[in-house]
Amino acid sequence: MVSSAIGALGYSGFSIINHVNNMFYDAYQKNSSSGAASSKTVIVDIDDVSLEAVGQWPWPRYRVASLIHAVAQMQPAAIGLDIIFAEPDRTALINIQKAFMDDFNLDISLAGVPAALTDNDGYLGSVLSETGVVGAKYFYFDHSSSVEISGSSAFEIIGKTDLLTLHDAPGMLDNTYKIASQLKYAGFLNNQPDNDGMLRKLPLLIQYKGIIYPHLSLATFMRSQGENSATIEEGEYGPVIRVGRHYIPVSKKGFAQLRFNGPSHLYHSVSAVDILNGTVSEDNIRDKVVFVGSSAAGLKDLYHTVFDAQFPGVKTHAVMVENINDGNVIIDPTWGRTTIFALCVLTGIFISLLFIFVHSAFLVFAITTLWIAFMLIGSFIAFEYTGIFLATGTPAAIALILFSIFVITRFAIEKRHSHIWFRQLANARQVTMESMAAVAESRDPETGAHIKRTQHYVKAIADELVQSGFFSETLTPDFIDLLFVSAPLHDLGKVGVPDNILMKAGKLTDEEFVLMKKHAEYGKKIIYSTAEKIEGNNFLMLAGEIASTHHEKWDGSGYPNGLAAEDIPLSGRIMAVADVYDALISKRCYKPPFSHEKACGILREGRGSSFDTVVLDAFFNIEERIKEIAASFSDDNEMVLGDR
C-alpha cells in the first residue's frame, strides 16, 4: 500500500520525488564525470577581457562581423552564434543619417564611405550568410509575438514526429530583418532549468507555427555534419533524433539530458579579442564546432549546474555537441517510470515478506541494506556504462520507510508483549507475596485485614513524604509500588512463633517476649532464603528488609538489632508507624481496640523515641486518609475509629 502510493507519486512526477531523483542524478554525474577536456568544440568568448579591450557590449555589428570572418578563415567545422541582434545597430552610419533627419531635418552626406559599411546590420547579415553561420532565435511561452521573418527552418525535422509532444511556442524573438533575412541557418537558444534552478537538460526541438525548430547546439552540429535534416525514429529507449550516423535519445517533449565532463573550464575557449588580434593559432579552431558567445557576468547568460554555480550558457552548446559526437547523451527511457513503479511495488512486497519470515532485527536490517545497495549500485552501473538513468532513489526511500515502519510496529508489538509479560510477572509477584502473607495470617486469625490496612497505610505515607519533598530520590514510583506489595510480609516470621505465645490472651512473660521478638529474624530468614532462588532485581529483598526492621526504634531501643535513627532503613521506619497504629486501633486477644484519637496520642508519645519524626508527621498530615483506609478494610467492626 505504502510502496504503491509512493511509486504512484513518483510516476506522476511529484515534486519531492523529483527532488530525490535529481539528488541521485547529480551524484551519478559527479561520480561518473570523465574530467576530460573538450576535443570537438571550442568557444569564442566575448569575455570580460574582450569587453574591456574592444569596448562594452553591444559592439558595433561590423566588429562582430570581423570576428565571425576571422573565425571562418580558420576553417571550423561549423559556427554557431549564441547572440540575437533583435534591435538595429544604432552605431551604423545609415541609422545615424536617419536619426539626424528625424530629429533635426538634416541630411548628412556620407561621401567616400563604401555602401556596405553604412548598414552594419546588412553587413553582418551578409557575412553570416557567406560563412554559413548558424544564427539564433528565442521562443516565448508567456506571450505571443509577430516577427518580420518567421520563415521555414533551414533544417528539416522529418520521420516519426508523431512520437513527440513538443512545446508549441506562441511567440518568437528573432534578429533584425536585415540579419534574419540573410541567415541561411538558425537554431533557438531556449534552455530550461529544473524547478530547483539546476540545468540538467536541453530542449533540442520546439514547435512554432507548425514548424519544428532545432536547438542551436543541434543545428550547429547538423551543420558540422553537412546535414540539413534530422530524422525522428523510435529507439529501444524511446524517441531518438538521427543525424547521419549519430543517434540522440530524447524525451517525448524533445529534451536531451546533459552529461558534463566536469567544471566549465574543461570546455575549451579562446578570447574574442585574441581572435581579432590574430594571436590564436588556426589549429585551435580548424575542424572544430565553434560557438561564439559570452561568459561575461554582466550579460547574465549563466546557469547553475552540478559542477558550477555559474556555468556559461554558450558552453552548454559545447556540452551537448560533445555528448552527441561521443554518443554520450544520457538516456531517460520512456519506460523508466513504469519500471521504477514496478520496482517500488516489488520493494514493498520484498520488505514485507522479510519482516514476516525473518525475525532477527539485525538480519532484516542487513538484507534491507543489501537490497537498497543492489538498487543504487545497479542504477549507477547502468548510468556509468550504458548512459541509462533509472531513478532508484524512490524504491530505496520506500525500503527505508517500510523498514522504519515495520521496526516501529515490531517494537510496539514487542513492547505490548513485554507489558503483558511484566503485568503477568507483577501479578505473579503479588500472588507470591499474598500467598506468603496468607501463611502468616493463618497463624494470627484476629488480624485478618491487618495486612491490607498496613499495606495501604504504607503507600499513603510514602506518597505524602514525596509530596512534602522528603526522600524523593528513594521513594520513586517503582519503589513505592514495591513497598506496597512487600508490606504484607512484615509479620511473616510469626509462623515460627509457638501458638501458645502467639495466641496468649494475657501479657507475655519476659521469656515469652524474647521468643515473640524472634519473629523479625524468622521473617528475614524465610524471605531471604526464598530470594536466593530468584535471579536479577529481586523484589523479595525489600520485603525481607521490612520484616527485619519494622520493630526497630528511632532511639535504638527496638529489636532485633537495636538500630537507631537513619541506620534503620526507610522502609522499616514507615512500616513501624503503620504497624503500631493498626495494632492500636485493632482488637487483639490481649487487648480491646483503641480509638483513633487514643492511638494517635500514643504515637505522639513515641515521636523522636520510637518513630522517625518526619515519617510520623507525614502520617498525621493524612489522618483523614488513614481513617478512610482503616474503615475500608475493617475487621467486622472490631475497630474503633472515633471516640467510644
Side-chain angles (χ1 to χ4, degrees):
M1 185 74 175
V2 173
S3 57
S4 298
I6 297 176
L9 289 175
Y11 189 88
S12 64
F14 189 61
S15 59
I16 295 177
I17 303 296
N18 282 342
H19 180 69
V20 172
N21 293 338
N22 287 338
M23 286 174 57
F24 281 96
Y25 183 87
D26 295 342
Y28 291 178
Q29 280 266 23
K30 283 187 175 181
N31 287 285
S32 66
S33 61
S34 67
S38 60
S39 59
K40 308 292 192 306
T41 59
V42 65
I43 307 299
V44 173
D45 193 359
I46 304 173
D47 53 12
D48 289 308
V49 174
S50 299
L51 295 177
E52 185 177 352
V54 178
Q56 293 301 306
W57 193 259
W59 286 351
R61 305 288 154 80
Y62 65 80
R63 183 148 294 153
V64 177
S66 298
L67 176 64
I68 296 297
H69 190 268
V71 173
Q73 286 185 321
M74 296 183 183
Q75 303 178 48
I79 303 173
L81 183 58
D82 185 46
I83 303 169
I84 298 175
F85 303 99
E87 297 180 354
D89 186 354
R90 295 187 180 184
T91 66
L93 295 179
I94 191 172
N95 290 333
I96 294 174
Q97 259 186 330
K98 184 177 183 303
F100 270 82
M101 177 59 71
D102 292 342
D103 294 342
F104 306 110
N105 199 29
L106 293 176
D107 186 7
I108 298 176
S109 174
L110 300 174
V113 180
L117 296 182
T118 62
D119 183 2
N120 289 357
D121 288 331
Y123 177 60
L124 175 59
S126 66
V127 171
L128 296 179
S129 178
E130 291 170 8
T131 55
V133 170
V134 181
K137 303 175 185 292
Y138 182 84
F139 291 112
Y140 293 115
F141 289 91
D142 55 355
H143 67 278
S144 60
S145 64
S146 60
V147 294
E148 293 180 81
I149 296 288
S150 61
S152 61
S153 173
F155 300 105
E156 190 177 9
I157 309 300
I158 60 176
K160 297 182 178 180
T161 56
D162 59 320
L163 295 175
L164 305 173
T165 53
L166 302 176
H167 290 297
D168 198 344
M172 181 173 71
L173 176 68
D174 206 346
N175 290 285
T176 65
Y177 176 81
K178 292 182 179 180
I179 297 174
S181 61
Q182 298 185 75
L183 272 174
K184 295 179 181 178
Y185 310 100
F188 61 85
L189 294 178
N190 299 65
N191 288 340
Q192 185 175 325
D194 290 326
N195 291 335
D196 59 359
M198 193 85 77
L199 185 68
R200 299 182 178 90
K201 58 184 180 291
L202 293 181
L204 291 190
L205 300 172
I206 288 178
Q207 186 168 288
Y208 175 69
K209 293 188 176 180
I211 300 172
I212 298 176
Y213 288 83
H215 191 269
L216 180 63
S217 58
L218 176 59
T220 308
F221 176 75
M222 292 171 67
R223 177 81 179 117
S224 72
Q225 300 295 306
E227 299 285 347
N228 290 329
S229 65
T231 306
I232 306 300
E233 298 180 359
E234 186 170 8
E236 184 179 354
Y237 306 107
V240 296
I241 303 172
R242 180 173 61 81
V243 179
R245 61 184 179 83
H246 296 276
Y247 292 84
I248 311 160
V250 293
S251 68
K252 288 185 177 181
K253 293 187 179 295
F255 283 82
Q257 302 292 128
L258 290 164
R259 185 194 283 269
F260 295 90
N261 289 352
S264 61
H265 68 78
L266 293 175
Y267 296 91
H268 184 54
S269 65
V270 295
S271 181
V273 68
D274 292 336
I275 295 283
L276 291 171
N277 292 336
T279 60
V280 176
S281 170
E282 185 175 313
D283 293 338
N284 291 327
I285 302 296
R286 186 187 299 115
D287 298 328
K288 303 285 181 65
V289 177
V290 176
F291 291 98
V292 179
S294 178
S295 66
L299 298 184
K300 298 180 179 179
D301 185 27
L302 301 169
Y303 294 91
H304 191 184
T305 71
V306 68
F307 290 103
D308 293 271
Q310 295 186 319
F311 194 97
V314 65
K315 289 193 175 185
T316 61
H317 308 308
V319 175
M320 182 53 67
V321 170
E322 293 282 344
N323 290 168
I324 296 171
N325 253 312
D326 297 338
N328 207 22
V329 178
I330 295 170
I331 302 168
D332 185 8
T334 53
W335 41 261
R337 288 189 178 184
T338 303
T339 301
I340 294 302
F341 177 77
L343 190 56
C344 288
V345 175
L346 179 62
T347 297
I349 295 171
F350 177 72
I351 299 299
S352 299
L353 292 175
L354 196 61
F355 269 85
I356 292 172
F357 294 106
V358 180
H359 300 290
S360 168
F362 175 78
L363 190 56
V364 170
F365 173 77
I367 295 174
T368 302
T369 302
L370 287 174
W371 178 254
I372 293 172
F374 168 76
M375 291 189 292
L376 296 182
I377 294 173
S379 174
F380 178 74
I381 291 173
F383 185 92
E384 175 76 15
Y385 294 102
T386 67
I388 298 173
F389 176 65
L390 291 174
T392 52
T394 305
I398 287 173
L400 287 174
I401 292 170
L402 289 179
F403 177 80
S404 301
I405 290 173
F406 285 130
V407 165
I408 292 171
T409 302
R410 182 171 286 182
F411 174 77
I413 293 172
E414 292 297 329
K415 187 175 181 181
R416 176 171 174 77
H417 288 165
S418 297
H419 179 69
I420 293 172
W421 178 84
F422 181 78
R423 286 182 59 188
Q424 291 172 341
L425 181 63
N427 290 338
R429 182 178 67 181
Q430 179 70 21
V431 169
T432 301
M433 295 285 201
E434 290 179 354
S435 297
M436 295 177 74
V439 174
E441 185 179 331
S442 67
R443 297 294 317 286
D444 194 3
E446 292 185 351
T447 60
H450 171 68
I451 288 172
K452 287 290 184 184
R453 290 193 297 272
T454 53
Q455 184 180 38
H456 286 275
Y457 297 154
V458 163
K459 185 178 186 307
I461 294 170
D463 287 337
E464 175 60 22
L465 286 169
V466 174
Q467 286 290 103
S468 302
F470 295 104
F471 312 116
S472 56
E473 291 184 4
T474 301
L475 296 174
T476 62
D478 287 342
F479 185 88
I480 293 174
D481 287 342
L482 188 55
L483 193 65
F484 178 79
V485 297
S486 299
L489 299 186
H490 68 281
D491 277 337
L492 179 62
K494 287 184 178 181
V495 298
V497 178
D499 287 347
N500 64 311
I501 296 175
L502 192 62
M503 305 297 182
K504 186 175 180 179
K507 184 178 179 180
L508 298 177
T509 65
D510 291 342
E511 293 78 9
E512 290 172 335
F513 188 58
V514 168
L515 292 175
M516 173 61 81
K517 289 193 294 183
K518 287 185 178 293
H519 83 272
E521 292 181 355
Y522 294 157
K524 178 181 177 182
K525 286 181 180 180
I526 294 169
I527 294 172
Y528 281 7
S529 64
T530 304
E532 289 175 356
K533 299 177 177 63
I534 301 175
E535 297 180 0
N537 187 10
N538 202 316
F539 62 90
L540 287 175
M541 298 303 291
L542 183 62
E545 181 181 89
I546 293 173
S548 65
T549 63
H550 72 285
H551 285 295
E552 300 286 359
K553 295 185 178 180
W554 187 255
D555 61 5
S557 62
Y559 63 88
N561 297 313
L563 300 178
E566 294 184 357
D567 288 339
I568 307 170
L570 179 60
S571 60
R573 281 138 57 194
I574 295 173
M575 191 70 230
V577 173
D579 188 43
V580 170
Y581 170 76
D582 198 70
L584 291 172
I585 65 168
S586 301
K587 178 183 178 182
R588 292 288 185 263
C589 58
Y590 53 85
K591 68 172 236 359
F594 294 164
S595 68
H596 170 78
E597 289 72 16
K598 183 174 181 179
C600 287
I602 294 172
L603 289 177
R604 285 190 176 91
E605 291 175 3
R607 177 184 173 83
S609 58
S610 294
F611 309 111
D612 181 345
T613 56
V614 173
V615 175
L616 192 62
D617 288 344
F619 172 87
F620 287 128
N621 289 342
I622 56 170
E623 277 192 63
E624 292 303 316
R625 175 64 184 141
I626 295 296
K627 291 170 71 175
E628 289 175 6
I629 293 170
S632 298
F633 302 99
S634 64
D635 283 318
D636 299 324
N637 299 320
E638 292 180 339
M639 300 170 57
V640 180
L641 300 178
D643 289 331
R644 286 188 287 182

